[in-house]
Amino acid sequence: MPERSDPRDEIFVQERPWGQFQQFVSNAQVTVKVITVEPGHRLSLQTHDHRGEMWQVLDVPIDVTVGERTWSAKPGETVWVPRNSVHRMGNSGEHPGRLLEVGFGHFDESDIERLEDDYVR
């Protein structure tokens, strides 16, 4: 499967009389989720062989690791996780945090390779 370029380059905002919309993807094979991370929790440190992921932080800052970089992604920030990149999200805040996840490529939950997992899965 060819590596997809960073889809954040194709995001655009369209103004309308009633406000605006932000378009993330058009006419591509994708899987879309909203992920809620409870305060004090984090997902496993993981990789995927068959998909890249784009995350848009919705509510509160989310702790993000992609490759060697770890930072606090702010609401409205869009993060690209290339296929096979080590990645994780977590919430060190006091309120639940949500992310919009768009998975590019073949989506299958069994494609997760967990490198570290707080829940021993």
Side-chain angles (χ1 to χ4, degrees), residues 45-58:
L45 186 67
Q46 58 187 252
T47 65
H48 307 290
D49 286 334
H50 301 292
R51 69 180 184 268
E53 297 174 343
M54 184 174 64
W55 302 337
Q56 171 111 28
V57 180
L58 299 176

Side-chain angles (χ1 to χ4, degrees), residues 3 8 24 32 34 40 43 47 56 59 73-74 85 104 111:
E3 182 63 32
R8 294 176 298 180
F24 297 99
V32 180
V34 173
L43 282 70
T47 65
Q56 171 111 28
D59 302 315
K74 306 295 183 222
S85 294
F104 291 85
D111 183 38

Side-chain angles (χ1 to χ4, degrees), residues 7-48:
R8 294 176 298 180
D9 297 334
E10 299 174 25
I11 295 172
F12 72 91
V13 176
Q14 182 72 54
E15 299 295 330
R16 294 286 196 241
W18 42 261
Q20 67 180 19
F21 69 82
Q22 189 176 24
Q23 182 170 308
F24 297 99
V25 63
S26 180
N27 300 318
Q29 178 183 353
V30 298
T31 301
V32 180
K33 294 180 178 180
V34 173
I35 297 172
T36 302
V37 185
E38 295 296 330
H41 291 267
R42 61 186 183 171
L43 282 70
S44 60
L45 186 67
Q46 58 187 252
T47 65
H48 307 290

